[in-house]
Amino acid sequence: MSKFSCIVAACENRGIGINGDLPWKLKHELKYFSRMTKKVRDADKRNAVIMGRKTYFGVPETKRPLPERLNIVLTRNSASYTFPSDVLVCKSLQEALHKLDTTDYGKDIENIWIVGGGSVYKEAMESARCHRVYLTEIKKHFECDAFFPEIPKSFAIVANDEDVPSEVQEENGIQYEYKIYEQKH
């Protein structure tokens, strides 16, 4: 039973998106997301990214499926959509985790990342298997229609990993900071 982490950028009102897109343009923050979700210790492995259907289709067509990672899309209505053959489509987070635990899909996976949207994050953080939340705190208010849920009290802030900057970042006049929350047991 492998653990997983959530990774998210959220603004002051916990907003994470609007109209299927990010409300901000932060190139370095996107590079951080890419680096973190691709990073493996074992070069023969790769990571899985689990996301809802709207999050998947919110990724620009030229950039999906997210390269060098197993893309798992959650949808209860897969017949209505077309996905590339290398994308694993599951009805629920439980089904996706079960497939990673019990089938060949999981044999070369090192880390599992939950990458959105709001309802997927909520379900993920309610799971005992959720180990960490990598939160980019965007220090500004944006108009959003998708939100990150409250981080449960069972999580506490921990020191950043050595490759995660601790100082406040700034890009396009927007300040943001990387925080890591870990589930206490």
Side-chain angles (χ1 to χ4, degrees):
M1 288 253 299
S2 35
K3 293 182 182 295
F4 59 78
S5 296
C6 296
I7 187 164
V8 63
C11 62
E12 287 173 343
N13 60 345
R14 293 200 327 278
I16 57 174
I18 187 157
N19 301 326
D21 202 357
L22 294 173
W24 45 77
K25 296 278 176 264
L26 299 171
K27 219 179 236 157
H28 294 292
E29 206 285 325
L30 282 173
K31 282 186 177 143
Y32 164 82
F33 168 87
S34 182
R35 177 173 60 84
M36 295 300 288
T37 59
K38 285 179 184 173
K39 183 175 69 175
V40 288
R41 286 201 180 96
D42 177 345
D44 295 328
K45 295 197 174 218
R46 64 181 178 154
N47 295 332
V49 286
I50 301 177
M51 69 198 89
R53 172 188 50 79
K54 289 183 198 153
T55 299
Y56 177 80
F57 285 113
V59 173
E61 205 168 335
T62 56
K63 299 210 177 357
R64 68 174 189 249
L66 296 174
E68 299 168 45
R69 291 153 282 187
L70 171 62
N71 285 231
I72 303 174
V73 177
L74 308 181
T75 178
R76 288 179 205 84
N77 193 359
S78 57
S80 306
Y81 303 94
T82 309
F83 295 96
S85 60
D86 57 345
V87 170
L88 177 60
V89 180
C90 297
K91 286 186 173 24
S92 68
L93 180 58
Q94 285 314 105
E95 181 190 339
L97 295 171
H98 182 72
K99 280 192 173 164
L100 289 173
D101 286 341
T102 60
T103 69
D104 282 350
Y105 282 110
K107 73 179 187 313
D108 69 337
I109 298 299
E110 186 170 299
N111 300 298
I112 303 168
W113 291 94
I114 308 297
V115 300
S119 61
V120 180
Y121 285 132
K122 184 176 180 347
E123 185 181 355
M125 285 190 299
E126 289 167 357
S127 165
R129 291 174 65 171
C130 185
H131 174 58
R132 285 184 151 192
V133 175
Y134 287 76
L135 171 66
T136 302
E137 264 181 20
I138 296 182
K139 301 182 175 300
K140 196 171 173 180
H141 189 97
F142 285 87
E143 190 65 39
C144 292
D145 59 15
F147 298 88
F148 189 67
E150 289 279 357
I151 295 175
K153 301 249 182 286
S154 57
F155 286 81
I157 288 189
V158 295
N160 283 5
D161 299 346
E162 61 186 46
D163 60 344
V164 176
S166 296
E167 56 283 342
V168 174
Q169 309 293 303
E170 186 163 340
E171 201 176 336
N172 298 338
I174 300 167
Q175 291 190 330
Y176 56 94
E177 198 171 357
Y178 301 118
K179 301 266 177 86
I180 301 173
Y181 290 80
E182 196 168 277
Q183 176 111 262
K184 304 177 289 203
H185 291 290

